[in-house]
């Protein structure tokens, strides 16, 4: 049996007529850059995230970059974030000339541990970028408490968490800005790159609109230097079609996660979840713990010892998996100037060694999920 990590063709087959019609409509209009489709998409996404404004941009990476630029963050400024995330989070900080200051994660959720923020705040600290990793929100109550205390800007990296919710607030709608990505493998994926910033601040939304178009307003008049960070109409049209399916897809992902939980519990393997303070020496498979009211399961990530061997064994049996992320950012060569050594962030480093994402996309069938868990059980029973 074949179980890819993600099967976008299955999704496309189920919405092909609507997507093709939306693309054709944009082609007929020949209006490609910004325009009414993008505005319609912005309104719909703002509403979905519980925010009053949304600004379509060229990617999740550029969403982060534009927010940092909007806050005039640059050389000499320090931004607190997690080292256990996709590169773009810290890459955007470095690109504006600011310094990423890492803090370790909470191993229960893989999100930054807010109790570690305060000790890293200096007179140079300007912002915190919490990342809602794998589709589960970081502990925003605690993040906002420190941010308010020290007057820091909060930019949520919600690239993996559109629609995640806690205490009635959605990912991206808690801090000053929320950054979304429409990279194809995200839960709401475009046919290429795309992103959006959501915010409840109308003035800052206007500022972002100017920044995404070279800082011009009116046209050819530049009071600030921006970039080309625009979302295009083809992507907006496709995102609008897909948005109407997003809740159903999220429900399917959540159902698949529950199914995996149950299958692992019945598998005979020694199973725990990340909230149980266990290690991979006593438990064979450590399952994700849901600490958010609504976890959207962009990824379903387990922890195991001998992760790389398991990955290879699953590969050989047709099961696609991925490691998010094998090298924490403080150990990336490009950040060696920060002077962080191995061992600096032990929770992030062990997570990088032990985590493995399983196929969780909405169209994974019951039989496929069974097969994945059977293959994992076989790995442990034959190599124990
Ligand atoms: C995908 C992702 C990004 C970047 O989004 P792009 O649209 O690919 O530029 C940023 N942060 C996180 C956590 C992501 O997963």
């Amino acid at each position: 049996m074949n179980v890819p990590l993600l099967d976008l063709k299955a999704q496309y087959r189920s919405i092909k007529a609507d997507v093709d019609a939306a693309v054709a409509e944009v082609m007929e209009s020949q209006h490609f850059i910004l325009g009414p489709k993008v505005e319609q998409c912005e309104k719909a996404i703002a509403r979905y995230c519980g925010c009053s404004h949304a600004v379509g941009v060229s990617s999740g990476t550029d969403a982060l970059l534009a927010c940092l630029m909007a806050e005039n963050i640059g050389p000499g400024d320090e931004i607190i974030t997690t080292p256990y995330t996709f590169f773009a989070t810290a890459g955007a900080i470095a690109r504006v000339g600011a310094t990423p200051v890492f803090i370790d994660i909470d191993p229960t959720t893989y999100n930054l541990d807010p109790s570690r923020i305060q000790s890293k705040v200096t007179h140079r600290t300007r912002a915190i970028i919490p990342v809602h990793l794998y589709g589960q929100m970081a502990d925003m109550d605690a993040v906002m408490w420190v941010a308010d205390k020290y007057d820091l800007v909060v930019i949520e990296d919600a690239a993996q968490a559109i629609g995640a919710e806690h205490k009635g607030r959605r990912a991206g709608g808690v801090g000053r800005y929320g950054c979304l990505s429409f990279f194809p493998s995200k839960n709401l994926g475009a046919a290429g790159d795309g992103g959006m910033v959501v915010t409840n601040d109308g003035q800052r939304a206007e500022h972002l609109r100017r920044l995404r178009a070279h800082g011009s307003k009116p046209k050819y008049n530049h009071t600030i230097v921006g970039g080309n960070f625009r979302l295009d109409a083809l992507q907006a049209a496709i995102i609008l079609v897909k948005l109407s399916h997003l809740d159903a897809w999220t429900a399917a992902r959540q159902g698949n996660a529950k199914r995996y939980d149950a299958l692992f519990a019945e598998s005979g393997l020694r199973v725990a979840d990340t909230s149980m303070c266990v290690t991979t020496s006593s438990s064979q498979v450590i399952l994700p713990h849901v600490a958010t009211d609504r976890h959207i399961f962009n990824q379903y990530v387990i922890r195991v010892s001998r992760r790389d061997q398991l990955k290879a064994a699953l590969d050989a049996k047709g099961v696609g998996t991925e490691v998010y992320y094998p090298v924490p950012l403080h150990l990336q060569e490009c950040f060696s100037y920060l002077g962080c050594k191995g061992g600096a962030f032990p929770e992030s480093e062990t997570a990088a060694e032990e985590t493995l994402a399983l196929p969780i996309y909405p169209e994974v069938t019951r039989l496929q999920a069974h097969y994945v868990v059977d293959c994992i059980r076989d790995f442990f029973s034959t190599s124990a």
Side-chain angles (χ1 to χ4, degrees):
M1 190 184 291
N2 232 48
V3 194
L5 180 67
L6 177 63
D7 183 0
L8 287 172
K9 286 183 184 163
Q11 184 192 68
Y12 179 52
R13 276 195 294 275
S14 72
I15 54 170
K16 183 171 169 20
D18 290 345
V19 169
D20 291 357
V23 168
E25 188 190 330
V26 175
M27 292 310 289
E28 285 304 325
S29 79
Q30 289 289 301
H31 194 142
F32 297 122
I33 306 292
L34 298 177
K37 269 292 165 205
V38 170
E39 280 168 34
Q40 197 187 332
C41 182
E42 289 173 337
K43 287 207 172 75
I45 297 286
R47 198 177 321 122
Y48 192 79
C49 294
C51 289
S52 41
H53 307 275
V55 182
V57 293
S58 33
S59 67
T61 303
D62 288 342
L64 291 162
L65 188 61
C67 292
L68 292 163
M69 289 171 74
E71 291 297 323
N72 265 315
I73 288 171
D77 295 333
E78 296 177 352
I79 313 300
I80 295 174
T81 192
T82 162
Y84 190 63
T85 174
F86 178 61
F87 178 77
T89 315
I93 298 170
R95 280 176 65 194
V96 296
T99 305
V101 174
F102 296 117
I103 56 171
D104 212 352
I105 55 167
D106 173 349
T108 314
T109 60
Y110 304 106
N111 285 322
L112 96 182
D113 175 354
S115 73
R116 301 177 194 268
I117 297 175
Q118 212 168 173
S119 67
K120 292 294 181 103
V121 174
T122 72
H123 65 285
R124 294 176 183 276
T125 310
R126 292 282 315 280
I128 308 170
I129 307 187
V131 179
H132 307 311
L133 205 67
Y134 304 148
Q136 163 150 270
M137 284 173 76
D139 180 355
M140 290 307 289
D141 281 345
V143 169
M144 294 312 290
W145 182 84
V146 196
D148 288 343
K149 182 168 174 185
Y150 296 100
D151 197 22
L152 306 174
V153 179
V154 174
I155 302 168
E156 292 174 68
D157 184 340
Q160 297 183 9
I162 186 167
E165 194 173 304
H166 196 59
K167 295 186 184 169
R169 303 181 81 178
R170 290 214 158 169
V174 186
R176 184 172 291 173
Y177 306 97
C179 297
L180 303 172
S181 165
F182 305 124
F183 186 79
S185 67
K186 308 293 160 112
N187 286 25
L188 181 62
D193 282 307
M196 204 166 281
V197 180
V198 291
T199 179
N200 286 306
D201 186 319
Q203 267 183 327
R204 289 187 165 94
E206 263 321 296
H207 192 70
L208 286 164
R209 286 180 207 286
R210 196 183 286 199
L211 276 171
R212 77 175 163 184
H214 296 291
S216 85
K217 195 178 185 181
K219 211 172 178 183
Y220 304 124
N221 287 272
H222 305 262
T223 48
I224 51 170
V225 177
N228 178 353
F229 304 142
R230 294 174 301 232
L231 181 65
D232 68 70
L234 277 170
Q235 303 306 343
I238 291 167
I239 291 159
L240 273 167
V241 169
K242 287 192 171 189
L243 182 60
S244 62
H245 299 275
L246 185 57
D247 285 337
W249 289 336
T250 297
R253 285 172 180 270
Q254 291 166 335
N256 288 339
K258 280 222 167 74
R259 177 176 290 155
Y260 274 133
D261 289 346
L263 289 171
F264 278 115
E266 298 158 5
S267 67
L269 290 162
R270 288 194 310 280
V271 174
D273 87 48
T274 56
S275 70
M276 294 172 180
C277 296
V278 290
T279 66
T280 51
S281 51
S282 59
S283 296
Q284 288 167 310
V285 179
I286 303 179
L287 306 177
H289 174 74
V290 177
T292 295
D293 292 347
R294 188 173 194 248
H295 187 326
I296 64 150
F297 283 101
N298 178 243
Q299 302 297 344
Y300 182 93
V301 173
I302 62 170
R303 286 181 87 125
V304 291
S305 60
R306 292 181 299 136
R307 186 263 323 268
D308 295 339
Q309 291 98 308
L310 174 61
K311 185 178 195 317
L314 291 174
D315 241 16
K317 292 190 166 183
V319 175
T321 61
E322 190 54 277
V323 175
Y324 302 109
Y325 297 89
V327 183
L329 300 188
H330 65 288
L331 300 178
Q332 296 288 346
E333 190 178 337
C334 66
F335 289 134
S336 59
Y337 68 90
L338 295 172
C340 297
K341 298 273 184 295
F345 304 108
E347 297 294 359
S348 300
E349 290 167 35
T350 349
E353 283 164 18
E354 296 186 337
T355 51
L356 190 66
L358 306 182
I360 188 72
Y361 61 92
E363 296 82 4
V364 171
T365 64
R366 175 186 294 273
L367 276 176
Q368 286 177 311
H370 264 276
Y371 179 68
V372 171
V373 175
D374 284 349
C375 290
I376 294 172
R377 192 199 50 212
D378 290 350
F379 172 80
F380 282 106
S381 57
T382 56
S383 62

